[in-house]
Amino acid sequence: MIQHTDIAIIGAGPVGLFAVFEAGMLGMKCHVIDALDHIGGQCSALYPEKPIYDIPAHPKISAQDLIDNLEQQAAPFSPTYHLSQQVIEISGSAEEGFQLKTSKDTQLNCKVIIIAAGPGAFGPNRPPIKNIQNFENHSVFYSVRHKEALRDKNIVIAGGGDSAVDWALELYDIAKSVSVIHRRDHFRAAPDTVEKLRKLASDGKIGWYVPGQLADLEGDGTNISHVVIRDDENNLKHIKADILLPFFGLAAKLGPVADWGLNLDRNHIQTEISTSATNIPGIYAIGDIATYANKLKLILTGFAEAAAAAHDAYKIVFDGKALHFEYSTTKGVSPVHA
Ligand code: FAD
């Protein structure tokens, strides 16, 4: 089924979310698509707990709280989110309307496209284990969304960065067992958390397979029974496991965005600074993916670009109608109807 909207926003990072609000304030309805299974872009995927200090009027706010607030700010405008799918194709024009297709075959017709795709679509770095895809979302997870779902499970955590260390510390007292695998005895996480983890290992409270590498998964095809680990001398160990959490980071791929005929500058989309317009009328780019002279890659810069894009898009969405500028204090926030 083809769905219709005023604006399709590619990317549900902080800047894409704020674009929903800016568009909504001008009476425009948005659909938002993201490759990840959750909104929030880099903030939620890479550093949800970290405090951000340079969001205006927030002396300190965690990255996830910022996303939660942006979601709440956009909510009156009832955006439709299409998650876990990548936009793979766009066609059409501002005159006739754009068509957009995703990897899950969602089809959208829209008048304007705003690309807020950051460094590109995020996906997990997968460990090189054959058939791992079959276990994904059953017993292999690349992020933890509901900690309680892991209660009383035998959990194997692989990786040496903040996510691996933080989740091992977070889960060991609710899980049946937690085992940590890392290929070398050097962790890239915050030193104090690594110390806490080493203490748990030396007290025998968690399994410690360092150095060790993931070699194989055993199970019924979707549910794991054992994780097989190879040590430095090529010995294999079979660890009883219900859940594997490989935390090897996320890879971002510009992917199909590169093929849409937009003027690019080293994997970024060139835009006109005052409007966020690209070289294709009706397509805008904002946030980390947009570039112009002296661009600052900051969330606050992206917010201003979102406002500029929404104001410029108004004339396309409303067929040349002049925009009567009003402050939010005058206008208030009233819902947009489909
Ligand atoms: P992103 O947050 O990158 O989101 C883009 C989204 O688009 C992603 O979710 C991606 O999956 C999706 N996407 C891309 N292509 C497609 C496609 N084809 N189909 C579907 N979805 C797609 N900035 C600050 O201002 N202050 C800070 O203190 C700060 N600290 C940081 C700390 C760390 C550790 C990191 C990594 C970054 C930090 N940043 C900070 C930078 C900030 O996070 C980025 O500037 C911001 O996330 C950019 O937002 P965005 O919405 O443009 O893109």
Side-chain angles (χ1 to χ4, degrees):
M1 189 189 70
I2 299 176
Q3 301 175 62
H4 297 263
T5 190
D6 294 326
I7 302 183
I9 299 176
I10 304 174
V15 176
L17 294 176
F18 192 63
V20 174
F21 171 79
E22 283 294 324
M25 289 295 281
L26 299 178
M28 299 180 284
K29 186 101 182 110
C30 297
H31 280 224
V32 188
I33 310 102
D34 204 295
L36 290 174
D37 63 1
H38 54 87
I39 63 167
Q42 294 176 48
C43 292
S44 298
L46 300 180
Y47 59 107
E49 308 291 335
K50 283 206 163 84
I52 307 180
Y53 298 97
D54 56 355
I55 302 298
H58 288 282
K60 179 179 173 184
I61 183 166
S62 82
Q64 189 57 50
D65 284 348
L66 174 70
I67 295 304
D68 293 346
N69 287 354
L70 286 165
E71 183 182 17
Q72 199 186 329
Q73 197 171 17
F77 305 115
S78 311
T80 304
Y81 294 106
H82 305 275
L83 300 178
S84 304
Q85 49 199 301
Q86 201 181 350
V87 177
I88 51 171
E89 210 178 289
I90 60 176
S91 55
S93 65
E95 291 85 46
E96 293 175 2
F98 292 102
Q99 296 80 46
L100 201 138
K101 207 166 153 187
T102 76
S103 49
K104 277 197 178 163
D105 222 18
T106 301
Q107 295 186 49
L108 287 177
N109 280 0
C110 58
K111 298 174 187 165
V112 161
I113 295 175
I114 297 182
I115 304 176
F122 284 125
N125 283 320
R126 291 194 163 88
I129 296 177
K130 65 175 176 348
N131 299 336
I132 192 161
Q133 275 101 329
N134 299 340
F135 292 95
E136 288 171 0
N137 300 321
H138 299 282
S139 50
V140 172
F141 300 93
Y142 298 101
S143 63
V144 178
R145 306 238 60 87
H146 303 293
K147 180 179 155 185
E148 268 309 304
L150 302 181
R151 184 175 284 279
D152 298 328
K153 304 280 189 205
N154 294 303
I155 300 170
V156 174
I157 296 178
D162 282 317
S163 297
V165 173
D166 291 353
W167 278 113
L169 293 175
E170 189 84 22
L171 292 170
Y172 93 93
D173 58 351
I174 68 156
K176 192 185 267 180
S177 69
V178 166
S179 301
V180 172
I181 309 170
H182 185 41
R183 67 193 154 83
R184 58 194 179 120
D185 197 5
H186 173 77
F187 286 77
R188 297 179 316 281
D192 58 323
T193 59
V194 175
E195 272 324 298
K196 283 184 197 152
L197 191 71
R198 288 188 190 281
K199 175 88 174 59
L200 289 181
S202 61
D203 291 349
K205 292 185 174 160
I206 59 169
W208 190 250
Y209 300 91
V210 181
Q213 301 207 39
L214 291 172
D216 204 356
L217 298 178
E218 291 175 349
D220 66 7
T222 52
N223 294 304
I224 300 173
S225 62
H226 293 85
V227 170
V228 185
I229 295 173
R230 178 178 288 111
D231 70 15
D232 271 2
E233 272 114 45
N234 246 351
N235 301 310
L236 296 180
K237 281 203 181 89
H238 296 242
I239 310 173
K240 192 171 162 41
D242 306 306
I243 301 285
L244 171 66
L245 304 174
F247 290 128
F248 298 146
L250 292 173
K253 293 196 192 86
L254 190 58
V257 177
D259 306 323
W260 294 336
L262 296 157
N263 286 345
L264 298 180
D265 178 4
R266 280 169 297 169
N267 281 345
H268 294 84
I269 301 172
Q270 291 179 347
T271 58
E272 207 283 295
I273 185 169
S274 64
T275 57
S276 302
T278 67
N279 59 305
I280 302 182
I283 303 186
Y284 297 82
I286 58 177
D288 276 12
I289 196 149
T291 193
Y292 44 80
N294 302 319
K295 158 90 180 195
L296 274 180
K297 264 198 198 179
L298 287 175
I299 294 167
L300 66 88
T301 317
F303 287 167
E305 292 163 0
H311 281 75
D312 202 67
Y314 183 90
K315 61 178 185 288
I316 300 174
V317 170
F318 295 111
D319 296 325
K321 187 171 151 196
L323 172 62
H324 171 61
F325 179 84
E326 279 179 312
Y327 288 120
S328 70
T329 39
T330 316
K331 245 174 116 59
V333 174
S334 40
V336 182
H337 299 289

